[in-house]
Structure formats: structure tokens, C-alpha cells
Amino acid sequence: MIKTIKKWFIVVLIGLVIFAGWLAYYAVTPLKLQPRSQEIIIQPQSGLKSIAKQLVSQGVLKEPWRFIVLAKILHKEPYLQAGSYTLNKNISPYHLLLSLNHGRTTQGSITFIEGKTFAQMRQRLARNDAVTQTIGNLSDAEILGKLGSSYQVADGLFFPDTYYFSRGTSDMVILQRSYEAMQAKLDKAWQTREANLPYKNSYQALIMASIIEKETGQASERPMIAGVFINRLRIGMRLQTDPTVIYGMGKEYRGNIRKKDLLTDTPYNTYTRNGLPPTPIAMPGHAAIEAALHPAKTKALYFVGNGDGSHIFSNNLGAHNRAVLQYQLNNKP
């Protein structure tokens, strides 16, 4: 019995040595790309298997599984980064892993996040060392003028996404791409909107989308949030949404809203004014735009957070007050 165990142990050990040698040979053998160098793009939020398949589709690897095994054994899987890379003809799988691990991209990238303001967008541009800075002394209105926009307020006019570009590209060029992307996506969505929505134009839909973006803690609730606000607009009820109040307060906002703030009139105070605010209050993403143009069919007029990021929806004030008492004032789950 002991001899049999020893025999199988030796067989397994030899197998592991052969496997390790074979994998090491694969790791250091040049890929011999054609032509001499090759540009590849790894898409954002790609896992190891997706990255390997992208490398196959772009002609870097013949098959994905050896690269996947190598990455797992070397514990590189959690650290591979998206971006655009230039690969030398003789790069090996191991050095390819190192490049993807360290994010040695030949292009710059920047990500604009849903729900952020144009001021925050400008801050991201200013901090990106791959971007040539040209707009530092320009006002938002001056930037919009250079983009050929007739609007005076920039919030909501730029599409939140990840943008890749050659290092040294100017901030204005990147803004142009984001601005045009938003116009294209909004125009397309507007063409397929539901009938009889209470918007005069697509810009008002964009305003609503920005409110939905700021109000929604869970993505699945966007259409329902939209449905509540649409119902309020239809019956002439004020939107009474805190994010617009906060936006209107500007630098006066200190992290919480007081009763005084709700009663202080500004163009964005939807507690004191009817209808939509005059401009968007943030960058809405595609899902928020779709929700604004395809709201849920609901009779709900109220909603209140229940503590986990989702909301309790009510059709009337009595039910809403009970929900507030249970989930807000008593802080019960």
C-alpha cells in the first residue's frame, strides 16, 4: 500500500514538474505578433476570461486558456487594467501580463461618473496628467460657447462614460466628445419616448433624468421614481425633491438640509416652485434618460427611503406618512 502511494506521489510530482516547465516555457516564449507592434484595447470592467477572449479576438493569443492559467497561478487576475496598449512583436505572455497589471497604456483615459456635476467633471480633467489643460481660466458658459452650445449652464449636457484618447489631447477635445455623445444619446432616446409625457422638449427630459439619477439608490427603481415625478407634473403637484434644493444652495450646502433651506426660494427649490427646475442638476446616465422617457405605470405620488438605498412608494399622503413614521422617524427596518 505504501509503495503504491509513493508511486502515485512520484507520478503526480513528475506531472507537476512537467506542467510547471511547460507553463514556464509558454510564459517566456515571444508571441511573434504581426505586424512588428500592435495596438490593443481592453474594455473597462473586464474580468480575466473576458480579457483573454479580447486578446484572442484581436490576434494576440491563439487561444485563451493558457493565458488564464498563467494569470491565476501568478495571482495577477485581480489587478489587470483596462486601456489601450501597444504591444511589441516579441512580447511574451508573462510581460503582457505585467503590462496589463501595471496599466502601461499608450493612451490616456478618463471616467466621468453618473450623478456628478460639471464642476466635478472639470476637476477630474484638471487632475489627469494625460490631458493638456486649456480651459482652466474659462467659465462654464465660455466652454459651452467654444463647443457651439447655446446653453449657459453645463450640468447635464455631457455623457458620463470612460473616454480613451492619445496622451496630450486637450481637455476641450474630450469635452467635445462627451458633449456630442450626450446629444446623440438624448436625441435617439427622445425619438422612441412614450407618448403624452409632460415635457416640452428633450432638454426637459434631460432635466428629469438628472433628478432621477440623484434620487435613485437602486438602479431597478429608476422607472418607478420617474413614474412618481411624472404623476406629480401631470396633476400640478410640486416635485419636492431634495437634490434640486441642494443644487440651488450651491456652496451654502453643508451636508444636511434644514427646514429653512426648504422654505428659501431659489430657481431650483422644487418645494417652493412648480414644475421642473430650469436646468439639469447633474450628469444622468443612459438608464436615467431611459427612465425619464419610459416611466413605470404607477399611481404612486410619494416615496421614502427605507434605509437600505431602496424606497417605499405610496399612492396617497396617509400611506406616505405612515411609511415615513416607520422607516424614517422610528428608523425601523
Side-chain angles (χ1 to χ4, degrees):
M1 184 70 172
I2 294 176
K3 290 183 178 180
T4 302
I5 293 174
K6 287 183 176 179
K7 179 181 178 180
W8 279 110
F9 177 77
I10 292 172
V11 170
V12 171
L13 185 62
I14 292 173
L16 289 174
V17 171
I18 293 173
F19 174 78
W22 168 82
L23 191 62
Y25 177 79
Y26 166 75
V28 300
T29 301
L31 291 169
K32 297 181 180 180
L33 304 179
Q34 297 295 334
R36 302 188 106 184
S37 63
Q38 182 172 335
E39 289 282 343
I40 65 166
I41 295 177
I42 303 300
Q43 298 298 325
Q45 300 180 338
S46 296
L48 175 58
K49 290 183 180 179
S50 174
I51 289 173
K53 290 180 180 179
Q54 291 174 53
L55 292 171
V56 171
S57 68
Q58 295 178 68
V60 177
L61 303 177
K62 292 182 180 179
E63 41 72 29
W65 68 271
R66 285 185 295 179
F67 185 81
I68 292 172
V69 171
L70 181 64
K72 285 182 175 293
I73 288 178
L74 296 178
H75 194 55
K76 299 296 184 183
E77 181 178 4
Y79 309 108
L80 304 182
Q81 301 182 40
S84 177
Y85 299 81
T86 297
L87 306 182
N88 183 275
K89 175 183 179 180
N90 291 318
I91 192 171
S92 67
Y94 173 71
H95 285 98
L96 173 57
L97 266 177
L98 291 183
S99 293
L100 296 177
N101 186 184
H102 295 295
R104 295 170 181 162
T105 61
T106 57
Q107 291 186 320
S109 68
I110 192 166
T111 300
F112 301 129
I113 302 172
E114 295 93 337
K116 300 299 184 180
T117 64
F118 186 66
Q120 292 169 316
M121 186 179 184
R122 292 186 65 166
Q123 290 172 1
R124 276 185 171 261
L125 282 168
R127 291 195 300 261
N128 193 306
D129 61 6
V131 177
T132 297
Q133 308 297 324
T134 68
I135 64 171
N137 295 323
L138 299 181
S139 68
D140 291 358
E142 288 171 329
I143 292 172
L144 291 175
K146 286 182 174 293
L147 294 175
S149 174
S150 60
Y151 295 104
Q152 296 298 305
V153 176
D155 282 311
L157 298 177
F158 298 85
F159 188 72
D161 202 352
T162 297
Y163 295 89
Y164 294 100
F165 51 88
S166 300
R167 296 185 70 87
T169 298
S170 75
D171 41 20
M172 187 61 73
V173 170
I174 298 168
L175 288 176
Q176 184 81 50
R177 287 177 58 190
S178 183
Y179 178 81
E180 291 176 355
M182 178 58 86
Q183 306 315 303
K185 292 181 182 297
L186 180 60
D187 289 346
K188 183 177 180 180
W190 180 252
Q191 297 305 316
T192 60
R193 68 189 184 279
E194 288 191 10
N196 302 317
L197 293 174
Y199 307 129
K200 295 179 180 178
N201 49 50
S202 62
Y203 187 67
Q204 287 196 341
L206 188 64
I207 295 172
M208 177 63 83
S210 74
I211 298 173
I212 295 166
E213 191 70 71
K214 295 296 290 184
E215 279 282 14
T216 308
Q218 293 189 359
S220 61
E221 289 189 346
R222 287 192 182 101
M224 193 67 180
I225 297 285
V228 170
F229 287 138
I230 291 294
N231 287 345
R232 289 188 172 196
L233 286 179
R234 281 175 171 155
I235 65 174
M237 181 179 175
R238 289 176 179 171
L239 296 182
Q240 296 183 324
T241 170
D242 291 353
T244 63
V245 177
I246 293 170
Y247 184 85
M249 291 173 65
K251 294 180 179 179
E252 297 298 318
Y253 179 64
R254 295 290 186 268
N256 57 16
I257 301 178
R258 303 160 297 178
K259 184 176 181 180
K260 172 187 174 183
D261 300 321
L262 298 178
L263 298 175
T264 301
D265 184 51
T266 75
Y268 293 88
N269 190 336
T270 51
Y271 285 84
T272 61
R273 299 200 180 193
N274 296 328
L276 292 164
T279 73
I281 59 173
M283 288 188 289
H286 177 74
I289 294 172
E290 284 296 314
L293 294 171
H294 300 277
K297 307 296 185 185
T298 178
K299 295 181 179 180
L301 288 170
Y302 303 90
F303 59 88
V304 63
N306 69 0
D308 65 358
S310 63
H311 295 86
I312 303 299
F313 296 87
S314 304
N315 294 354
N316 57 69
L317 184 58
H320 174 65
N321 287 338
R322 289 191 293 274
V324 170
L325 180 64
Q326 179 177 356
Y327 292 98
Q328 294 289 311
L329 299 183
N330 290 340
N331 195 28
K332 294 181 179 178

